[in-house]
Coordinates of all heavy atoms in Angstrom, one line a residue:
M277 N 83.0 -0.8 -27.4 CA 83.2 0.5 -26.7 C 84.4 1.1 -27.3 O 85.5 0.5 -27.5 CB 83.3 0.2 -25.2 CG 83.6 1.4 -24.4 SD 83.6 1.1 -22.7 CE 82.5 2.4 -22.2
E278 N 84.3 2.4 -27.4 CA 85.4 3.2 -28.0 C 86.7 3.2 -27.1 O 86.5 3.4 -25.8 CB 85.0 4.6 -28.3 CG 83.9 4.8 -29.3 CD 83.3 6.1 -29.4 OE1 83.9 7.1 -28.8 OE2 82.2 6.3 -29.9
Q279 N 87.8 3.2 -27.6 CA 89.1 3.3 -26.8 C 89.1 4.6 -26.0 O 89.6 4.7 -24.8 CB 90.3 3.2 -27.7 CG 91.6 3.2 -26.9 CD 91.7 2.0 -26.0 OE1 91.3 0.8 -26.4 NE2 92.2 2.2 -24.8
K280 N 88.5 5.7 -26.5 CA 88.5 7.0 -25.8 C 87.7 6.9 -24.5 O 88.2 7.4 -23.5 CB 87.8 7.9 -26.8 CG 87.7 9.4 -26.2 CD 87.1 10.3 -27.2 CE 85.6 10.1 -27.3 NZ 84.9 11.2 -28.1
K281 N 86.7 6.1 -24.5 CA 85.9 6.0 -23.3 C 86.6 5.0 -22.3 O 86.6 5.3 -21.1 CB 84.5 5.3 -23.6 CG 83.6 6.3 -24.4 CD 82.2 5.8 -24.6 CE 81.4 6.7 -25.3 NZ 80.0 6.2 -25.6
I282 N 87.3 4.0 -22.8 CA 88.1 3.1 -21.9 C 89.2 4.0 -21.2 O 89.5 3.9 -20.0 CB 88.6 1.9 -22.6 CG1 87.5 1.1 -23.1 CG2 89.6 1.1 -21.8 CD1 87.8 -0.1 -24.0
D283 N 89.9 4.8 -22.0 CA 90.9 5.7 -21.5 C 90.3 6.6 -20.4 O 91.0 6.9 -19.4 CB 91.6 6.5 -22.6 CG 92.4 5.6 -23.6 OD1 92.7 4.5 -23.2 OD2 92.6 6.1 -24.7
R284 N 89.1 7.1 -20.6 CA 88.5 7.9 -19.6 C 88.2 7.2 -18.3 O 88.4 7.7 -17.2 CB 87.3 8.6 -20.2 CG 86.6 9.6 -19.3 CD 87.5 10.8 -18.9 NE 86.7 11.7 -18.0 CZ 87.3 12.5 -17.1 NH1 88.6 12.6 -17.1 NH2 86.5 13.3 -16.3
I285 N 87.8 6.0 -18.4 CA 87.6 5.2 -17.2 C 88.8 5.0 -16.5 O 88.9 5.2 -15.2 CB 87.0 3.8 -17.7 CG1 85.6 3.9 -18.2 CG2 87.0 2.8 -16.4 CD1 85.1 2.6 -18.8
N286 N 90.0 4.7 -17.2 CA 91.2 4.6 -16.5 C 91.7 5.9 -15.9 O 92.2 5.9 -14.8 CB 92.2 4.1 -17.5 CG 92.0 2.6 -17.9 OD1 91.4 1.8 -17.1 ND2 92.3 2.2 -19.1
E287 N 91.4 7.0 -16.5 CA 91.8 8.3 -16.0 C 91.1 8.6 -14.7 O 91.7 9.1 -13.7 CB 91.5 9.4 -17.1 CG 91.9 10.8 -16.7 CD 91.5 11.7 -17.8 OE1 91.5 11.4 -19.0 OE2 91.2 12.9 -17.4
L288 N 89.8 8.3 -14.7 CA 89.0 8.5 -13.5 C 89.5 7.6 -12.4 O 89.4 7.9 -11.2 CB 87.5 8.3 -13.8 CG 86.9 9.4 -14.7 CD1 85.5 9.0 -15.1 CD2 86.9 10.7 -13.9
A289 N 89.8 6.4 -12.7 CA 90.3 5.4 -11.7 C 91.6 6.0 -11.1 O 91.8 5.9 -9.8 CB 90.6 4.0 -12.3
H290 N 92.5 6.5 -11.9 CA 93.8 7.1 -11.3 C 93.5 8.2 -10.5 O 94.1 8.5 -9.4 CB 94.7 7.4 -12.4 CG 95.3 6.2 -13.2 ND1 96.1 5.3 -12.5 CD2 95.1 5.8 -14.4 CE1 96.4 4.4 -13.4 NE2 95.9 4.6 -14.6
L291 N 92.5 9.1 -10.9 CA 92.2 10.3 -10.1 C 91.6 9.9 -8.8 O 91.9 10.5 -7.7 CB 91.1 11.1 -10.9 CG 91.6 12.0 -12.0 CD1 90.5 12.7 -12.7 CD2 92.7 13.1 -11.4
A292 N 90.8 8.8 -8.8 CA 90.1 8.4 -7.5 C 91.2 7.8 -6.5 O 90.9 7.9 -5.3 CB 89.1 7.2 -7.9
K293 N 92.3 7.3 -7.0 CA 93.4 6.9 -6.1 C 94.1 8.1 -5.5 O 94.6 8.0 -4.4 CB 94.4 6.0 -6.9 CG 93.8 4.6 -7.2 CD 94.7 3.8 -7.9 CE 94.2 2.5 -8.3 NZ 95.1 1.6 -8.9
E294 N 94.2 9.2 -6.2 CA 94.9 10.4 -5.7 C 94.0 11.3 -4.9 O 94.6 11.9 -3.9 CB 95.3 11.2 -7.0 CG 96.4 10.5 -7.9 CD 96.7 11.3 -9.1 OE1 96.2 12.4 -9.3 OE2 97.4 10.7 -10.0
R295 N 92.7 11.4 -5.3 CA 91.9 12.3 -4.5 C 90.4 11.8 -4.7 O 90.1 10.9 -5.4 CB 91.9 13.7 -5.1 CG 91.5 13.9 -6.5 CD 91.4 15.3 -7.0 NE 91.1 15.4 -8.4 CZ 90.0 15.3 -9.0 NH1 88.8 15.0 -8.3 NH2 89.8 15.5 -10.3
E296 N 89.5 12.4 -3.9 CA 88.1 12.0 -4.0 C 87.5 12.7 -5.2 O 87.8 13.8 -5.5 CB 87.4 12.6 -2.7 CG 85.9 12.0 -2.7 CD 85.3 12.4 -1.3 OE1 86.0 12.4 -0.3 OE2 84.1 12.5 -1.3
L297 N 86.8 11.9 -5.9 CA 86.1 12.4 -7.2 C 85.0 13.3 -6.8 O 84.3 13.1 -5.8 CB 85.6 11.2 -8.0 CG 86.7 10.2 -8.5 CD1 86.0 9.1 -9.3 CD2 87.7 11.0 -9.4
T298 N 84.7 14.3 -7.7 CA 83.6 15.1 -7.6 C 82.3 14.4 -7.9 O 82.4 13.2 -8.5 CB 83.6 16.4 -8.5 OG1 83.6 15.9 -9.9 CG2 84.9 17.1 -8.3
A299 N 81.2 14.9 -7.5 CA 79.9 14.2 -7.9 C 79.7 13.9 -9.4 O 79.3 12.9 -9.8 CB 78.7 15.0 -7.3
E300 N 80.1 14.9 -10.2 CA 80.0 14.8 -11.6 C 80.9 13.7 -12.1 O 80.6 12.9 -13.0 CB 80.3 16.1 -12.3 CG 79.3 17.2 -12.0 CD 79.6 17.9 -10.8 OE1 80.8 17.8 -10.2 OE2 78.7 18.7 -10.3
E301 N 82.1 13.6 -11.6 CA 83.1 12.6 -12.0 C 82.7 11.2 -11.6 O 82.8 10.3 -12.3 CB 84.5 12.9 -11.4 CG 85.2 14.1 -12.0 CD 86.4 14.5 -11.3 OE1 86.5 14.3 -10.1 OE2 87.3 15.1 -11.9
Q302 N 82.0 11.1 -10.4 CA 81.5 9.8 -9.9 C 80.3 9.3 -10.8 O 80.3 8.2 -11.1 CB 81.1 9.9 -8.5 CG 82.2 10.0 -7.5 CD 81.7 10.3 -6.1 OE1 80.5 10.4 -5.8 NE2 82.7 10.3 -5.1
E303 N 79.5 10.3 -11.2 CA 78.4 9.9 -12.1 C 78.9 9.5 -13.4 O 78.5 8.5 -14.0 CB 77.4 11.1 -12.2 CG 76.2 10.8 -13.0 CD 75.3 12.1 -13.1 OE1 75.4 13.0 -12.3 OE2 74.4 12.0 -14.0
E304 N 79.9 10.2 -14.0 CA 80.5 9.9 -15.3 C 81.1 8.5 -15.2 O 80.9 7.7 -16.1 CB 81.5 11.0 -15.7 CG 82.2 10.7 -17.0 CD 83.3 11.7 -17.3 OE1 83.7 12.4 -16.5 OE2 83.8 11.5 -18.5
R305 N 81.8 8.2 -14.2 CA 82.5 7.0 -13.9 C 81.5 5.8 -14.0 O 81.7 4.8 -14.6 CB 83.4 7.0 -12.7 CG 84.1 5.6 -12.5 CD 84.9 5.6 -11.3 NE 84.2 5.8 -10.1 CZ 84.6 5.8 -8.8 NH1 85.9 5.6 -8.7 NH2 83.9 5.9 -7.8
A306 N 80.4 6.0 -13.2 CA 79.3 5.0 -13.1 C 78.7 4.7 -14.5 O 78.5 3.6 -14.8 CB 78.3 5.4 -12.0
I307 N 78.4 5.8 -15.2 CA 77.8 5.6 -16.6 C 78.8 4.8 -17.5 O 78.4 4.0 -18.2 CB 77.5 7.0 -17.1 CG1 76.3 7.6 -16.4 CG2 77.1 6.8 -18.6 CD1 76.0 9.1 -16.7
L308 N 80.1 5.2 -17.5 CA 81.0 4.6 -18.3 C 81.3 3.2 -18.0 O 81.4 2.3 -18.8 CB 82.4 5.4 -18.3 CG 82.4 6.8 -19.0 CD1 83.7 7.4 -18.7 CD2 82.2 6.6 -20.5
R309 N 81.3 2.9 -16.7 CA 81.5 1.5 -16.2 C 80.3 0.7 -16.6 O 80.5 -0.5 -17.1 CB 81.6 1.4 -14.7 CG 82.9 1.8 -14.1 CD 82.9 1.8 -12.6 NE 84.2 1.9 -12.1 CZ 84.5 1.9 -10.8 NH1 83.5 1.9 -9.9 NH2 85.7 2.1 -10.4
R310 N 79.1 1.1 -16.5 CA 77.9 0.4 -16.9 C 77.9 0.1 -18.4 O 77.7 -1.0 -18.9 CB 76.7 1.2 -16.6 CG 75.4 0.5 -16.9 CD 75.0 -0.5 -15.9 NE 75.3 -1.9 -16.3 CZ 75.6 -2.9 -15.5 NH1 75.5 -2.8 -14.2 NH2 75.9 -4.1 -16.0
E311 N 78.3 1.1 -19.2 CA 78.5 0.9 -20.7 C 79.5 -0.1 -21.0 O 79.3 -1.0 -21.8 CB 78.8 2.3 -21.3 CG 78.8 2.2 -22.8 CD 79.1 3.6 -23.4 OE1 78.9 4.6 -22.8 OE2 79.5 3.6 -24.6
Y312 N 80.6 -0.1 -20.3 CA 81.7 -1.1 -20.5 C 81.3 -2.5 -20.2 O 81.4 -3.5 -20.9 CB 82.9 -0.7 -19.7 CG 84.0 -1.7 -19.9 CD1 84.9 -1.7 -20.9 CD2 84.3 -2.7 -18.9 CE1 85.9 -2.6 -21.1 CE2 85.2 -3.7 -19.0 CZ 86.1 -3.6 -20.1 OH 87.1 -4.5 -20.3
I313 N 80.6 -2.7 -19.0 CA 80.0 -4.0 -18.6 C 79.0 -4.5 -19.6 O 79.1 -5.7 -20.1 CB 79.5 -3.9 -17.2 CG1 80.6 -3.7 -16.2 CG2 78.7 -5.2 -16.9 CD1 80.1 -3.3 -14.8
D314 N 78.1 -3.6 -20.0 CA 77.1 -4.0 -21.0 C 77.7 -4.5 -22.4 O 77.3 -5.4 -23.0 CB 76.1 -2.9 -21.3 CG 75.2 -2.7 -20.0 OD1 75.1 -3.5 -19.2 OD2 74.6 -1.6 -20.0
S315 N 78.8 -3.7 -22.8 CA 79.5 -4.0 -24.0 C 80.2 -5.4 -23.9 O 80.2 -6.2 -24.8 CB 80.5 -3.0 -24.3 OG 81.3 -3.3 -25.4
F316 N 80.8 -5.6 -22.7 CA 81.5 -6.9 -22.5 C 80.6 -8.0 -22.5 O 80.8 -9.1 -23.1 CB 82.2 -6.8 -21.1 CG 83.0 -8.0 -20.8 CD1 84.3 -8.2 -21.3 CD2 82.4 -9.1 -20.0 CE1 85.0 -9.4 -20.9 CE2 83.1 -10.2 -19.7 CZ 84.4 -10.4 -20.2
K317 N 79.4 -7.9 -21.9 CA 78.4 -8.9 -21.8 C 77.9 -9.3 -23.3 O 77.7 -10.4 -23.6 CB 77.2 -8.6 -21.0 CG 77.4 -8.7 -19.5 CD 76.2 -8.2 -18.7 CE 76.3 -8.4 -17.2 NZ 75.1 -8.0 -16.5
R318 N 77.6 -8.2 -24.0 CA 77.1 -8.5 -25.4 C 78.1 -9.3 -26.3 O 77.8 -10.2 -27.0 CB 76.8 -7.2 -26.1 CG 75.5 -6.5 -25.8 CD 75.2 -5.4 -26.7 NE 76.2 -4.3 -26.8 CZ 76.3 -3.3 -25.9 NH1 75.4 -3.2 -25.0 NH2 77.2 -2.4 -26.1
S319 N 79.4 -8.9 -26.1 CA 80.5 -9.6 -26.7 C 80.6 -11.1 -26.4 O 80.7 -11.9 -27.2 CB 81.8 -8.9 -26.5 OG 82.9 -9.6 -27.1
L320 N 80.5 -11.3 -25.1 CA 80.6 -12.7 -24.5 C 79.4 -13.5 -25.0 O 79.6 -14.7 -25.5 CB 80.6 -12.6 -23.0 CG 80.7 -14.0 -22.3 CD1 82.0 -14.7 -22.8 CD2 80.7 -13.8 -20.8
V321 N 78.2 -13.0 -25.0 CA 77.0 -13.7 -25.4 C 77.1 -14.1 -26.9 O 76.9 -15.1 -27.3 CB 75.7 -12.9 -25.1 CG1 74.5 -13.5 -25.9 CG2 75.5 -12.8 -23.7
S322 N 77.6 -13.1 -27.7 CA 77.8 -13.3 -29.1 C 78.8 -14.5 -29.4 O 78.6 -15.3 -30.2 CB 78.3 -12.0 -29.8 OG 78.6 -12.2 -31.1
Q323 N 79.9 -14.5 -28.6 CA 80.9 -15.5 -28.8 C 80.3 -16.8 -28.4 O 80.5 -17.9 -29.1 CB 82.1 -15.2 -27.9 CG 83.2 -16.1 -28.1 CD 84.4 -15.7 -27.4 OE1 84.5 -14.7 -26.6 NE2 85.6 -16.5 -27.6
L324 N 79.6 -16.9 -27.3 CA 79.0 -18.1 -26.8 C 77.9 -18.7 -27.7 O 77.7 -19.9 -27.9 CB 78.4 -18.0 -25.4 CG 79.5 -17.8 -24.4 CD1 78.8 -17.5 -23.0 CD2 80.4 -19.1 -24.2
E325 N 77.2 -17.8 -28.5 CA 76.2 -18.3 -29.4 C 76.8 -19.0 -30.6 O 76.1 -19.7 -31.3 CB 75.4 -17.1 -29.9 CG 74.4 -16.5 -28.8 CD 73.7 -15.3 -29.2 OE1 74.1 -14.7 -30.3 OE2 72.7 -15.0 -28.6
T326 N 78.1 -18.9 -30.8 CA 78.7 -19.5 -32.0 C 79.7 -20.6 -31.5 O 80.5 -21.1 -32.3 CB 79.5 -18.5 -32.8 OG1 80.5 -17.9 -32.1 CG2 78.6 -17.5 -33.4
T327 N 79.6 -21.0 -30.2 CA 80.4 -22.0 -29.6 C 79.7 -23.4 -29.6 O 78.5 -23.5 -29.3 CB 80.8 -21.6 -28.2 OG1 81.5 -20.4 -28.3 CG2 81.7 -22.6 -27.5
Y328 N 80.5 -24.4 -29.9 CA 79.9 -25.8 -29.9 C 80.9 -26.7 -29.0 O 82.1 -26.4 -29.0 CB 79.9 -26.4 -31.3 CG 78.9 -25.8 -32.2 CD1 79.1 -24.6 -32.9 CD2 77.6 -26.4 -32.3 CE1 78.1 -24.1 -33.7 CE2 76.6 -25.8 -33.1 CZ 76.9 -24.6 -33.8 OH 75.9 -24.1 -34.5
I329 N 80.4 -27.7 -28.4 CA 81.1 -28.7 -27.7 C 81.1 -29.8 -28.5 O 80.1 -30.4 -29.0 CB 80.5 -28.9 -26.3 CG1 80.5 -27.6 -25.5 CG2 81.2 -30.0 -25.5 CD1 79.7 -27.7 -24.1
V330 N 82.3 -30.5 -28.6 CA 82.5 -31.7 -29.4 C 82.9 -32.8 -28.4 O 83.8 -32.7 -27.7 CB 83.7 -31.5 -30.4 CG1 83.8 -32.8 -31.3 CG2 83.3 -30.3 -31.4
D331 N 82.1 -33.9 -28.4 CA 82.3 -35.0 -27.5 C 83.3 -35.9 -28.2 O 83.8 -35.7 -29.2 CB 81.0 -35.7 -27.1 CG 80.3 -36.4 -28.3 OD1 80.9 -36.6 -29.3 OD2 79.1 -36.8 -28.1
E332 N 83.6 -37.0 -27.4 CA 84.7 -37.9 -27.8 C 84.3 -38.7 -29.1 O 85.1 -39.2 -29.8 CB 85.0 -38.9 -26.7 CG 83.9 -39.9 -26.3 CD 83.0 -39.2 -25.2 OE1 83.3 -38.1 -24.7 OE2 81.9 -39.7 -25.0
K333 N 83.0 -38.7 -29.4 CA 82.6 -39.4 -30.7 C 82.6 -38.4 -31.8 O 82.2 -38.8 -33.0 CB 81.2 -40.0 -30.5 CG 81.2 -41.1 -29.5 CD 79.8 -41.7 -29.3 CE 79.8 -42.7 -28.3 NZ 78.4 -43.3 -28.1
G334 N 82.9 -37.2 -31.6 CA 82.9 -36.2 -32.7 C 81.5 -35.5 -32.9 O 81.3 -34.7 -33.8
N335 N 80.6 -35.7 -32.0 CA 79.2 -35.1 -32.1 C 79.4 -33.7 -31.6 O 79.9 -33.4 -30.5 CB 78.2 -35.8 -31.3 CG 78.1 -37.3 -31.8 OD1 78.1 -37.5 -33.0 ND2 77.9 -38.2 -30.8
K336 N 78.8 -32.7 -32.4 CA 78.8 -31.3 -32.0 C 77.5 -31.0 -31.3 O 76.4 -31.3 -31.7 CB 78.9 -30.4 -33.2 CG 80.3 -30.5 -33.8 CD 80.3 -29.5 -35.0 CE 81.7 -29.5 -35.6 NZ 81.7 -28.5 -36.8
T337 N 77.6 -30.2 -30.2 CA 76.4 -29.8 -29.4 C 76.6 -28.3 -29.2 O 77.6 -27.8 -28.7 CB 76.3 -30.5 -28.1 OG1 76.3 -31.9 -28.3 CG2 75.0 -30.1 -27.3
K338 N 75.5 -27.5 -29.6 CA 75.6 -26.1 -29.4 C 75.5 -25.8 -27.9 O 74.7 -26.4 -27.2 CB 74.5 -25.4 -30.2 CG 74.5 -23.9 -30.2 CD 73.6 -23.4 -31.1 CE 73.5 -21.8 -31.2 NZ 74.5 -21.3 -32.0
V339 N 76.3 -24.8 -27.5 CA 76.3 -24.4 -26.1 C 74.9 -23.7 -25.8 O 74.5 -22.9 -26.7 CB 77.4 -23.4 -25.7 CG1 77.2 -22.9 -24.4 CG2 78.8 -24.1 -25.9
Q340 N 74.3 -24.1 -24.7 CA 73.0 -23.5 -24.4 C 73.0 -22.8 -23.1 O 73.9 -23.2 -22.2 CB 71.9 -24.6 -24.4 CG 71.7 -25.3 -25.7 CD 70.6 -26.3 -25.6 OE1 70.1 -26.6 -24.6 NE2 70.3 -27.0 -26.8
R341 N 72.1 -21.9 -22.8 CA 72.0 -21.2 -21.6 C 71.6 -22.2 -20.6 O 70.9 -23.2 -20.8 CB 70.9 -20.1 -21.6 CG 71.4 -18.9 -22.3 CD 70.3 -17.8 -22.2 NE 70.8 -16.6 -22.9 CZ 71.2 -15.5 -22.3 NH1 71.1 -15.5 -21.0 NH2 71.5 -14.5 -22.9
K342 N 72.2 -22.0 -19.3 CA 71.8 -22.9 -18.2 C 70.3 -23.0 -18.0 O 69.7 -21.9 -17.9 CB 72.6 -22.5 -17.0 CG 72.6 -23.5 -15.9 CD 73.5 -23.0 -14.7 CE 73.5 -24.1 -13.6 NZ 74.4 -23.7 -12.6
G343 N 69.8 -24.2 -17.9 CA 68.4 -24.4 -17.6 C 67.6 -24.5 -18.9 O 66.5 -25.0 -18.9
K344 N 68.2 -24.3 -20.1 CA 67.5 -24.4 -21.4 C 68.1 -25.7 -22.0 O 69.2 -25.8 -22.3 CB 67.7 -23.3 -22.3 CG 66.9 -22.1 -22.0 CD 67.1 -21.1 -23.1 CE 66.1 -19.9 -23.0 NZ 66.2 -19.0 -24.1
K345 N 67.2 -26.6 -22.3 CA 67.7 -27.9 -23.0 C 66.8 -28.3 -24.0 O 65.7 -28.0 -24.1 CB 68.0 -29.0 -22.0 CG 69.2 -28.7 -21.2 CD 69.6 -30.0 -20.3 CE 70.9 -29.7 -19.6 NZ 71.4 -30.7 -18.9

């Protein structure tokens, strides 16, 4: 996610503390938040896909989604 969009999320958060946001601002904030969350999830999944667990014997096991074995 672009830094410009993150800055806008923070700007809207500060505005919300000072006053009530307009309907357009609330909609923009919701869209930006969803985009941020989706970006975070993609990044986390990507990182976990390259993660391995090493046991005490040195055996590597790829991390799997819960319920998949």
Side-chain angles (χ1 to χ4, degrees):
M277 176 172 232
E278 299 171 11
Q279 185 61 42
K280 179 176 81 171
K281 290 182 179 181
I282 294 172
D283 292 341
R284 181 63 179 156
I285 292 171
N286 290 330
E287 182 181 329
L288 289 169
H290 291 295
L291 283 175
K293 289 180 182 181
E294 296 173 5
R295 63 171 171 82
E296 189 171 328
L297 296 177
T298 65
E300 294 84 17
E301 289 171 332
Q302 289 175 356
E303 184 178 344
E304 179 185 10
R305 179 177 66 174
I307 292 169
L308 289 171
R309 282 179 171 177
R310 182 80 260 157
E311 186 178 336
Y312 178 80
I313 290 168
D314 291 343
S315 173
F316 182 85
K317 283 182 178 179
R318 279 191 307 273
S319 175
L320 181 59
V321 167
S322 175
Q323 185 175 5
L324 289 173
E325 286 176 347
T326 61
T327 301
Y328 290 85
I329 297 173
V330 180
D331 66 14
E332 60 277 349
K333 294 180 182 178
N335 300 320
K336 289 184 181 180
T337 305
K338 188 170 177 82
V339 173
Q340 297 180 357
R341 286 185 179 253
K342 192 172 183 177
K344 283 187 168 182
K345 288 191 176 186

